[in-house]
């Protein structure tokens, strides 16, 4: 039997083929446009700093060639003062360049992340059906973070380095073209090294990113499933698997570092060869063409300023590759359009007056795989309607369509004779309140959660609602009462308590139509009774649609709709359906047998 410790986790791999995709980079750089003034100011500081840096070797040349041989102390002092001034200008301008570049870059990242978050908030449920939470988070956090170096330093640095490289070359050719030509003879050698190592570096860092993605995924999975892990005593096995995962990260990182380490020494070697050429050939020119010692010193300084940016420029290409891949994934999300769109001139409704009507509704989550087939029924104001049937029969789909989380492919849904597609989102969602099977609380206080749907409600209103539903007593027992922090998902509360807080949040909004999606299914007997009493109070004088798992709770429903394989199989009251002895009768009988067997 295979050793379970030896098994490594399986992760879905995303596309890791990093290629330079110019159209995505162009779209990405459009986020810079609102900050072009800041970018121009940054480039001004950059240019002044570069010029100040490049003037220094020329001043040194003048001092060596003219003032030192003549023992002109005044001239030497002036050159010294100018060198100090150039150093001061360079440092101040560089400091301002870095500050402005980081400010501009962070503002761009802020805009990209905000655009992503705002866009995701408006997408339809179908998008979240197809994309995992982790994948969406990676887009908003990780993919935007990978752009950090590009926008905060990369773009400005590459312009700085290009300017320094070009200006240094121009100055060297202007001082002595022959010496410059001989010095740059080493450039072809460097280009061979660059193209030889670039692909290997790119390939190895791509492997590192993939291994780190696996590491993040495994950590996320283990934290999310910690209860299951401890229940099955899997800690030892998981620790061994985790060790393998981080070993993979370590080994791939070290391989990438070794390959990357070849490049910088290669640049140093090329620079050193260039320096030797300057001294060797320059000494000959001293005797022939009158090349000065100051010229040789200046050439060595300018050569350093020529090769120094080369490493940064080669790394910039890798930054562009990563940014290209990240921007592709970012714009992939931004290009998704919500399937459920509000009408251009939406109808505002403030009151539910007459009826809800489904007319020949067909719906499929996937093309042609219909989960609702020609569904038609009417719910009058004030009615309690129950939806029953086997799992997958279409009950939850009906309430999702009524809430307009999805739109039907065929047929229509009307409220007071108005097509749902014409009603504004805000008024529709204010009209309908949903109680889900799994209560969801946000991190923050109990009060924050209750006020979620109506932030401007008074504290007295909150207490009144909580007392009405029976939640006030247990909330008051906490040390901080309504200001008790519940943490993410309300981990400090029982499921029943969380459901009562969610019901308080719902009642505070005061919806006229209630949807109860198996609201007590995950509760114990005591909590179910407590929550059911609260539900009975909320449902009074409201139109209610109930998805029930315990048929005993819907005997008094005005209408029971029995779903079977996406169609309405039966409709009627409890008594009329029992007399039919059809699907509903069998469901009731099987539950009675189950209870007796228990």
């Amino acid at each position: 039997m295979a050793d379970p410790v030896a098994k490594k986790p399986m992760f879905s791999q995303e596309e890791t083929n990093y290629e330079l995709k110019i159209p995505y980079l162009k779209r990405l750089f459009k986020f810079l446009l609102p900050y072009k003034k800041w970018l121009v100011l940054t480039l001004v500081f950059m240019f002044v700093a570069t010029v100040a840096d490049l003037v220094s070797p020329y001043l040194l040349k003048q001092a060596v060639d003219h003032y030192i041989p003549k023992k002109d102390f005044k001239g030497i002092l002036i050159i010294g003062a100018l060198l100090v001034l150039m150093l001061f200008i360079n440092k101040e301008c560089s400091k301002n360049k870095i500050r402005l570049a980081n400010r501009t870059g962070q503002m761009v990242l802020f805009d990209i992340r905000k655009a992503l978050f705002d866009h995701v908030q408006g997408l339809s449920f179908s998008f979240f059906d197809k994309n995992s939470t982790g994948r969406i988070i990676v887009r908003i956090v990780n993919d935007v973070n990978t752009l950090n170096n590009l926008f905060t330093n990369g773009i400005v640095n590459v312009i700085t380095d290009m300017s320094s490289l070009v200006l240094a070359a121009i100055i060297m050719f202007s001082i002595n073209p022959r010496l410059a030509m001989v010095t740059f003879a080493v450039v072809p050698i460097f280009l061979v090294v660059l193209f030889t190592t670039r692909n290997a570096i790119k390939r190895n860092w791509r492997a590192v990113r993939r291994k780190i993605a696996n590491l993040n995924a495994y950590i996320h999975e283990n934290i999310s499933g910690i209860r299951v892990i401890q229940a099955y005593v899997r800690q030892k096995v998981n620790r061994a698997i985790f060790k393998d995962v981080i070993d993979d990260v370590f080994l791939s990182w070290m391989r990438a570092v070794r390959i990357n380490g070849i490049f910088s020494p290669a640049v140093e070697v090329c620079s050193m060869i260039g320096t030797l050429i300057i001294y060797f050939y320059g000494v000959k020119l001293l005797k022939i063409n009158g090349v000065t010692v100051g010229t040789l010193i200046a050439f060595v300084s300018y050569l350093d300023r020529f090769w120094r940016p080369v490493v940064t420029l080669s790394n910039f290409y890798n930054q562009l590759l990563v940014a290209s891949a990240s921007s592709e994934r970012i714009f992939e999300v931004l290009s998704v359009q919500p399937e459920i769109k509000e009408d251009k001139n939406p109808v505002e409704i403030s009151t539910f007056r007459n009826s809800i009507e489904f007319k020949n509704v067909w719906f499929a989550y996937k093309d042609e795989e219909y989960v609702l087939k020609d569904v038609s029924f009417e719910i009058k104001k004030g009615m309690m309607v129950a939806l029953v049937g086997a799992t997958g029969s279409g009950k939850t789909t009906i309430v999702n369509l009524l809430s307009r989380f999805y739109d039907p492919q065929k047929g229509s849904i009307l409220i007071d004779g108005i097509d749902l597609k014409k009603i504004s989102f805000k008024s529709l969602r204010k009209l309908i309140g949903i109680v889900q099977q799994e209560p969801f609380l946000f991190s923050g206080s109990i009060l924050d959660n209750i006020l979620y749907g109506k932030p401007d409600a008074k504290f007295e209103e909150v207490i009144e609602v909580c007392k009405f539903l029976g939640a006030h007593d247990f909330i008051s027992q906490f040390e901080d009462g309504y200001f008790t922090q519940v943490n993410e998902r309300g981990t400090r509360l029982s499921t029943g308590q969380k459901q009562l807080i969610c019901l308080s949040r719902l009642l505070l909004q005061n919806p006229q139509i209630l949807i109860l999606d198996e609201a007590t299914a995950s509760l114990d007997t005591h909590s179910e009774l407590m929550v059911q009493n609260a539900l009975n109070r909320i449902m009074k004088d409201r139109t209610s649609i109930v998805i029930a798992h315990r048929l005993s709770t819907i005997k008094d429903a005005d209408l029971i709709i029995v779903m079977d394989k996406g169609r309405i199989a039966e409709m009627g009251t409890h008594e009329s359906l029992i007399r039919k002895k059809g699907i509903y009768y069998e469901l009731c009988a099987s539950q009675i047998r189950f209870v007796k067997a228990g």
Side-chain angles (χ1 to χ4, degrees):
M1 184 175 177
D3 183 3
V5 175
K7 291 183 180 179
K8 291 185 181 181
M10 297 295 293
F11 301 103
S12 60
Q13 297 295 339
E14 295 201 57
E15 179 61 48
T16 55
N17 185 20
Y18 284 75
E19 299 295 338
L20 200 60
K21 297 175 181 177
I22 303 300
Y24 289 110
L25 290 175
K26 284 182 177 178
R27 289 181 66 184
L28 193 64
F29 290 139
K30 284 182 180 178
F31 280 93
L32 274 169
L33 292 179
Y35 307 101
K36 55 187 176 184
K37 290 182 180 178
W38 292 102
L39 186 60
V40 168
L41 187 58
T42 305
L43 294 177
V44 168
F45 278 117
M46 174 276 297
F47 185 76
V48 173
T50 302
V51 170
D53 183 52
L54 292 174
V55 165
S56 297
Y58 184 79
L59 292 174
L60 193 60
K61 174 186 179 302
Q62 295 298 108
V64 171
D65 287 345
H66 299 290
Y67 297 108
I68 292 176
K70 297 177 181 179
K71 295 182 181 180
D72 185 347
F73 293 109
K74 184 179 178 182
I76 294 172
L77 285 175
I78 291 172
I79 292 292
L82 288 173
L83 285 171
V84 171
L85 179 62
M86 291 302 107
L87 180 64
F88 175 78
I89 291 173
N90 176 263
K91 296 303 178 185
E92 283 300 307
C93 287
S94 296
K95 181 178 71 176
N96 284 302
K97 178 200 75 174
I98 292 169
R99 179 177 60 82
L100 288 172
N102 276 274
R103 182 187 185 281
T104 304
Q106 288 303 314
M107 290 301 294
V108 170
L109 295 184
F110 174 89
D111 289 347
I112 295 172
R113 189 170 283 124
K114 185 176 183 300
L116 264 174
F117 183 81
D118 291 350
H119 186 72
V120 167
Q121 290 277 295
L123 291 178
S124 305
F125 276 27
S126 55
F127 172 80
F128 301 97
D129 293 338
K130 298 170 188 173
N131 296 276
S132 67
T133 303
R135 188 169 183 266
I136 298 168
I137 291 172
V138 164
R139 296 290 172 273
I140 299 173
V141 180
N142 292 14
D143 280 326
V144 176
N145 282 345
T146 59
L147 305 176
N148 184 58
N149 286 336
L150 178 67
F151 279 113
T152 54
N153 295 307
I155 296 172
V156 172
N157 282 350
V158 78
I159 296 173
T160 302
D161 293 333
M162 281 293 295
S163 302
S164 179
L165 188 150
V166 171
L167 288 174
I170 290 172
I171 294 171
M172 290 169 76
F173 273 99
S174 66
I175 294 174
N176 193 301
R178 290 179 63 186
L179 187 58
M181 286 291 291
V182 174
T183 303
F184 290 133
V186 76
V187 170
I189 300 173
F190 165 74
L191 292 176
V192 172
V193 174
L194 172 65
F195 286 107
T196 303
T197 59
R198 191 188 68 184
N199 289 333
I201 291 170
K202 181 174 69 175
R203 187 169 56 252
N204 278 274
W205 283 114
R206 184 190 304 160
V208 169
R209 287 190 288 270
R210 188 168 61 248
K211 300 293 184 183
I212 290 175
N214 287 347
L215 173 64
N216 291 336
Y218 192 65
I219 292 172
H220 180 272
E221 182 182 79
N222 273 256
I223 293 173
S224 300
I226 190 65
R227 288 174 174 81
V228 177
I229 290 168
Q230 294 189 3
Y232 285 89
V233 198
R234 280 273 302 188
Q235 293 96 318
K236 185 177 179 180
V237 175
N238 287 2
R239 280 197 292 268
I241 294 172
F242 184 70
K243 183 180 181 300
D244 288 341
V245 174
I246 57 176
D247 278 346
D248 277 350
V249 173
F250 174 77
L251 293 173
S252 63
W253 184 281
M254 294 309 297
R255 278 195 297 271
V257 167
R258 280 197 299 272
I259 297 295
N260 206 62
I262 295 173
F263 186 73
S264 293
V267 175
E268 294 295 331
V269 169
C270 290
S271 177
M272 184 173 64
I273 293 172
T275 304
L276 290 174
I277 288 173
I278 289 173
Y279 286 129
F280 178 77
Y281 188 69
V283 168
K284 288 187 174 182
L285 290 180
L286 281 173
K287 300 174 182 177
I288 301 170
N289 293 334
V291 172
T292 63
V293 174
T295 299
L296 293 183
I297 293 173
F299 254 77
V300 171
S301 296
Y302 283 124
L303 191 66
D304 176 61
R305 284 159 173 81
F306 179 86
W307 287 108
R308 197 191 308 161
V310 168
V311 176
T312 307
L313 289 171
S314 62
N315 288 336
F316 181 72
Y317 181 77
N318 285 336
Q319 285 183 7
L320 282 179
L321 287 173
V322 175
S324 175
S326 294
S327 62
E328 181 179 7
R329 293 192 292 265
I330 288 168
F331 289 118
E332 179 186 89
V333 175
L334 288 175
S335 64
V336 176
Q337 294 301 313
E339 294 179 10
I340 311 302
K341 296 181 179 179
E342 191 171 65
D343 192 86
K344 291 181 180 179
N345 298 299
V347 177
E348 301 289 340
I349 56 174
S350 58
T351 306
F352 174 48
R353 300 181 185 279
N354 297 309
S355 66
I356 298 167
E357 191 174 0
F358 275 58
K359 282 188 174 182
N360 309 111
V361 170
W362 292 71
F363 177 76
Y365 291 102
K366 296 180 181 178
D367 293 342
E368 300 306 320
E369 294 180 18
Y370 286 104
V371 293
L372 288 185
K373 305 166 186 176
D374 198 23
V375 171
S376 298
F377 60 85
E378 185 177 13
I379 301 171
K380 294 290 186 183
K381 181 180 179 180
M383 288 178 67
M384 173 189 171
V385 177
L387 299 173
V388 300
T391 301
S393 61
K395 306 184 299 295
T396 299
T397 301
I398 287 176
V399 298
N400 281 338
L401 291 176
L402 178 57
S403 305
R404 216 189 159 208
F405 297 141
Y406 303 88
D407 280 339
Q409 281 80 19
K410 302 177 188 177
S412 57
I413 304 168
L414 311 174
I415 292 182
D416 291 341
I418 305 171
D419 194 310
L420 234 58
K421 294 179 182 178
K422 295 182 179 179
I423 300 173
S424 73
F425 286 145
K426 187 174 182 181
S427 60
L428 177 65
R429 304 282 157 76
K430 193 172 182 181
L431 207 66
I432 298 174
I434 305 172
V435 183
Q436 299 171 329
Q437 180 178 338
E438 293 295 331
F440 188 94
L441 297 183
F442 296 91
S443 56
S445 68
I446 292 174
L447 180 62
D448 292 333
N449 276 278
I450 296 173
L451 290 171
Y452 196 80
K454 191 180 178 183
D456 57 344
K458 295 179 180 178
F459 188 52
E460 291 76 16
E461 293 179 70
V462 174
I463 294 176
E464 184 181 347
V465 165
C466 291
K467 284 182 176 179
F468 179 76
L469 296 178
H472 179 74
D473 291 340
F474 80 81
I475 293 173
S476 300
Q477 289 174 6
F478 289 116
E479 183 178 348
D480 296 320
Y482 285 86
F483 299 96
T484 299
Q485 298 296 309
V486 296
N487 301 330
E488 185 182 359
R489 292 184 177 269
T491 52
R492 295 182 59 183
L493 305 169
S494 70
T495 306
Q497 289 173 331
K498 286 189 282 186
Q499 192 65 284
L500 283 176
I501 290 173
C502 289
L503 290 175
S504 300
R505 177 169 66 198
L506 179 73
L507 185 57
L508 190 65
Q509 191 176 334
N510 196 25
Q512 297 173 47
I513 301 170
L514 285 178
I515 295 175
L516 311 178
D517 189 357
E518 298 191 278
T520 61
S522 58
L523 303 178
D524 58 71
T525 305
H526 174 72
S527 296
E528 182 181 10
L529 288 171
M530 181 172 61
V531 172
Q532 191 61 54
N533 287 333
L535 286 172
N536 291 338
R537 293 191 185 101
I538 293 178
M539 291 165 63
K540 190 177 180 182
D541 300 326
R542 286 184 173 85
T543 305
S544 305
I545 301 168
V546 181
I547 296 177
H549 70 294
R550 295 188 186 179
L551 302 182
S552 58
T553 61
I554 59 167
K555 286 181 179 181
D556 297 328
D558 299 298
L559 177 66
I560 297 173
I561 300 174
V562 183
M563 299 297 298
D564 183 40
K565 297 178 182 177
R567 295 185 182 274
I568 295 178
E570 298 172 348
M571 277 199 300
T573 62
H574 174 76
E575 291 78 10
S576 67
L577 293 175
I578 290 294
R579 285 196 299 270
K580 273 189 177 181
K581 293 195 174 180
I583 295 175
Y584 182 76
Y585 174 83
E586 289 298 326
L587 287 171
C588 289
S590 63
Q591 282 202 4
I592 291 169
R593 286 194 296 270
F594 178 77
V595 172
K596 285 182 178 179

